Amino acid sequence: MRSVSVIGIGETKMGVFPDKSLKELIKEAGSKAINDAGIDKGLIEALYIGNFNSSYLCNQSHMGALASEVLELGNIPTLRTENACASGGLAFRYGYLAVASGLYDVVLVGGVEKMTHRETEVVTSALASASDGTTEFEIGATFPSLFALIANRHMYEYGTTREQMAMVAVQNHDNALLNPNAQMHKKLTIEKVVTGFPVAYPFTVFDCSLITDGAVFTVLAATEVAEKLTQKPLVEIIGSGHAGDTLTLASKKIITEFPATIKAAKEAYEMANVKPEDIDFAEVHDCFTITQIIHTEDLGFFEKGKGGFAVEEGLTAINGKIPINPSGGLKAKGHPIGATGLSQVYEAVTQLRGEAGERQVKNAEIGLTHNIGGTASTCCVHIFRRR
Amino acid sequence: MRSVSVIGIGETKMGVFPDKSLKELIKEAGSKAINDAGIDKGLIEALYIGNFNSSYLCNQSHMGALASEVLELGNIPTLRTENACASGGLAFRYGYLAVASGLYDVVLVGGVEKMTHRETEVVTSALASASDGTTEFEIGATFPSLFALIANRHMYEYGTTREQMAMVAVQNHDNALLNPNAQMHKKLTIEKVVTGFPVAYPFTVFDCSLITDGAVFTVLAATEVAEKLTQKPLVEIIGSGHAGDTLTLASKKIITEFPATIKAAKEAYEMANVKPEDIDFAEVHDCFTITQIIHTEDLGFFEKGKGGFAVEEGLTAINGKIPINPSGGLKAKGHPIGATGLSQVYEAVTQLRGEAGERQVKNAEIGLTHNIGGTASTCCVHIFRRR
């Protein structure tokens, strides 16, 4: 496998844009990424696109061909990937693998989701379709309730507190205040989180990630080709891992750690030949406050059970030992499902280029992105290094 | 890229099974494929699954994790692919590439669709979501009407006759009579096709492929590994091609040939180092009778405009010059969208193993499969050889 680098990135603002069409979101983010790379789009040999559920929410399937037409990419092959909230991360992985294996030299990888034009019940159903239809969704076990079970068990096993979870939300909102593309620009307090509208104990509405419209695209190229193509600082993909787990929560032996994350991270760390302590910052999949805590343990940043305490001690802040979600994360930057994995890559590249402005992590040289689908039934992890 | 072979195949009967769940379809076909390969399923390193629109038809997304749990495959990575009716073909291509590139040694690749439990209008909407939502679907231009425009133009340009299209249906029904897994076991006549219930001129209901429940799985392995794993005759994948086109019919310059097919076929032929005349039989994407005719031209079996005449002359029959759709095709074997590309592979492997019984193509050594999505906005082509 040969070296691959990210040479262009583009994203829309994340937010509530019921009047923007899928095509407009794709056009904006895709064009930005191609312009950022500064390449002739005729060089793009394939398109990978993550989309979770526009089939249901927008009556629009076949997103690869739609995006290719919108971006005027001609007869290139396209592929839509879908593994729930990890759809974007997998588009990225398969775009990466296509270039790494020598199949293509330059590819476009994007993600898109359009959600806010539908009623909340419809969006809830669309999201719940990522769980088991017959044993979870049909009995009303939507994701907030499933992750609430996980949170309760983590509190019971490790003494993680309600306040520590609230601090995740507070911190991610603080970070999002520094991200012009973030959906939420609103300071939170622990009290506000804890006394918010209850969803499923211990979660209030402030523990849950957002419903978001948005699109993100990236241009990948073989590093040897990229060096001749662009003046942009290259960000190399040095690790890629992908693993899975059962779909249903009931079938998992342990619910306070996620084997898919542990396995995908191991694969990515080994490939990159780095250890958790080498990572300068990470974008992790904080669909709920508890999941950020669990991921930071599973990724090896903190001992099992210490993730909540680490937040309390400020270790995950932008100026902390291992900054987590400097973008604001799914919680505050937003969670446009199929685009989320790509939005993490957008942040990683922005940080490694030193272009993150007020939220810049100091001396960022190696970054990690972590994207899950369902109750961590799918996970992919990528590691990036500034060249 | 290293050599990859198909070492196991399994499919459900194709048909109307409203009471069979997605899980039952997956379990049946997946288990059959693993048993056919005769391997310990612990050797399977990844799962690829094509599914078109269970998100909409069954409220079930995240099909990779669902299938992995049903088949008890542990923590392996999974990927669902979706490019309309080419979803299965692309799962196969990406499973193939993963093994060819050395990423994995053994993978499971499947496809599934469950459609007949929903009302016809719902299924029509689900299918139409593979076209452009705003300029086609919303104005009522569903696929039968889009392909009818194509048929009319082909008749005008090349003198293709109504009867020639009807003969495609008659021939595919004849072939399906010999396929125990086929949905239709009913002889047709040209008169019956032509005087059938009108859908969109020139099509009657007998020119259109079927609405089908079904699942198909295949096991792929690196040939060097496969030789040690199984006693089954190996069927090597010697060519793989993938290309695209705009989504909308209105944006295509020519509608009587499909550039995506021509480009994907060129890629596959070149890789396999074979010519159209070397192909002993082909499973092509006959979503409508006219499309089979056009594909046999675009794949290089007949001159442009001569595809209909070739059917009339019997050249595409099982005992003809180039047997097309010995399985019965989408028209009569059935069209379980996400599984269709895999079902073509199932037939190709069955033929090349010499296990096709009454529909066996004589001296079959090289077979081709051709799968499109939308109005050929996606196409992938695979070429197989008996080892």
Side-chain angles (χ1 to χ4, degrees), chain A residues 118-379:
Chain A
R118 301 297 297 269
E119 307 76 20
T120 306
E121 309 83 73
V122 176
V123 175
T124 300
S125 289
L127 291 169
S129 77
S131 68
D132 186 289
T134 45
T135 69
E136 295 179 330
F137 181 9
E138 253 185 41
I139 59 159
T142 56
F143 282 105
S145 70
L146 295 169
F147 278 100
L149 292 170
I150 292 169
N152 279 294
R153 189 73 200 174
H154 202 273
M155 292 166 83
Y156 174 83
E157 293 265 358
Y158 301 112
T160 302
T161 67
R162 178 67 194 91
E163 287 69 27
Q164 288 166 354
M165 284 182 253
M167 284 173 206
V168 170
V170 171
Q171 187 179 90
N172 287 357
H173 274 245
D174 281 350
N175 293 353
L177 280 169
L178 309 175
N179 182 353
N181 286 344
Q183 180 168 354
M184 279 286 164
H185 289 126
K186 198 155 79 176
K187 204 166 166 59
L188 274 186
T189 61
I190 294 174
E191 194 197 348
K192 191 163 179 188
V193 176
V194 171
T195 60
F197 186 83
V199 174
Y201 183 81
F203 299 152
T204 69
V205 69
F206 295 110
D207 289 278
C208 307
S209 54
L210 308 173
I211 292 171
T212 308
D213 304 317
V216 188
F217 278 77
T218 61
V219 182
L220 310 189
T223 303
E224 62 198 15
V225 175
E227 282 164 345
K228 292 171 208 149
L229 276 184
T230 182
Q231 299 303 315
K232 285 274 170 184
L234 300 187
V235 172
E236 189 181 359
I237 303 157
I238 58 172
S240 177
H242 175 199
D245 198 357
T246 54
L247 183 62
T248 58
L249 192 67
S251 66
K252 300 185 204 286
K253 284 185 191 125
I254 302 177
I255 63 170
T256 52
E257 65 178 38
F258 299 134
T261 292
I262 294 168
K263 188 179 170 198
K266 184 168 184 285
E267 209 174 288
Y269 284 135
E270 285 180 4
M271 182 181 155
N273 195 24
V274 298
K275 297 201 170 67
E277 50 270 32
D278 298 322
I279 304 296
D280 296 317
F281 67 91
E283 288 281 308
V284 311
H285 196 98
D286 58 323
C287 47
F288 297 93
T289 49
I290 188 64
T291 54
Q292 174 164 323
I293 290 171
I294 293 176
H295 300 325
T296 57
E297 298 165 357
D298 291 344
L299 290 166
F301 300 141
F302 308 114
E303 264 178 62
K304 193 74 224 164
K306 302 295 188 197
F309 297 92
V311 178
E312 198 169 358
E313 292 165 32
L315 303 181
T316 58
I318 284 182
N319 58 2
K321 183 187 156 214
I322 167 78
I324 301 293
N325 288 330
S327 72
L330 287 57
K331 177 67 202 82
K333 182 207 59 205
H335 187 15
I337 313 287
T340 286
L342 274 302
S343 185
Q344 297 176 325
V345 174
Y346 182 93
E347 179 68 10
V349 172
T350 303
Q351 289 284 351
L352 293 172
R353 283 181 180 175
E355 297 173 350
E358 289 185 89
R359 68 183 192 284
Q360 181 67 46
V361 173
K362 276 190 194 140
N363 304 318
E365 286 185 15
I366 299 181
L368 178 148
T369 61
H370 163 273
N371 189 202
I372 66 164
T375 48
S377 308
T378 293
C379 177

Side-chain angles (χ1 to χ4, degrees), chain A residues 48 60-61 69 94 129 133 248, chain B residues 48 60-61 69 94 129 133 248:
Chain A
Y48 296 81
Q60 183 66 63
S61 307
E69 177 165 346
Y94 276 85
S129 77
T248 58
Chain B
Y48 296 80
Q60 184 65 64
S61 306
E69 177 165 346
Y94 276 85
S129 77
T248 58

Side-chain angles (χ1 to χ4, degrees), chain A residues 1 21 23 45-46 48 51-53 55-56 58-66 68-69 74-85 90-91 93-94 97-98 101-104 125-126 128-135 137 143 242-249 251 259-260 263 267 373-378, chain B residues 1 21 23 45-46 48 51-53 55-56 58-66 68-69 74-85 90-91 93-94 97-98 101-104 125-126 128-135 137 143 242-249 251 259-260 263 267 373-378:
Chain A
M1 296 274 187
S21 68
K23 290 179 187 174
E45 292 170 89
Y48 296 81
N51 172 260
F52 167 51
N53 208 348
S55 298
Y56 184 89
C58 309
N59 286 322
Q60 183 66 63
S61 307
H62 211 175
M63 199 62 69
L66 182 88
S68 179
E69 177 165 346
N75 289 113
I76 64 165
T78 71
L79 177 69
R80 172 197 165 199
T81 58
E82 186 273 308
N83 270 48
C85 303
L90 283 179
R93 176 168 162 85
Y94 276 85
L97 289 170
S101 68
L103 183 64
Y104 307 121
S125 289
S129 77
S131 68
D132 186 289
T134 45
T135 69
F137 181 9
F143 282 105
H242 175 199
D245 198 357
T246 54
L247 183 62
T248 58
L249 192 67
S251 66
K263 188 179 170 198
E267 209 174 288
T375 48
S377 308
T378 293
Chain B
M1 297 273 188
S21 68
K23 290 179 187 174
E45 293 170 88
Y48 296 80
N51 173 260
F52 167 51
N53 209 348
S55 299
Y56 184 90
C58 308
N59 286 322
Q60 184 65 64
S61 306
H62 211 174
M63 198 62 69
L66 182 90
S68 179
E69 177 165 346
N75 290 113
I76 65 164
T78 70
L79 177 68
R80 172 198 166 200
T81 58
E82 185 273 308
N83 272 47
C85 303
L90 282 180
R93 175 167 163 87
Y94 276 85
L97 288 171
S101 68
L103 183 64
Y104 307 120
S125 289
S129 77
S131 68
D132 185 289
T134 45
T135 67
F137 181 8
F143 282 106
H242 175 200
D245 199 357
T246 54
L247 183 62
T248 58
L249 191 67
S251 66
K263 189 179 168 196
E267 209 174 288
T375 47
S377 308
T378 294

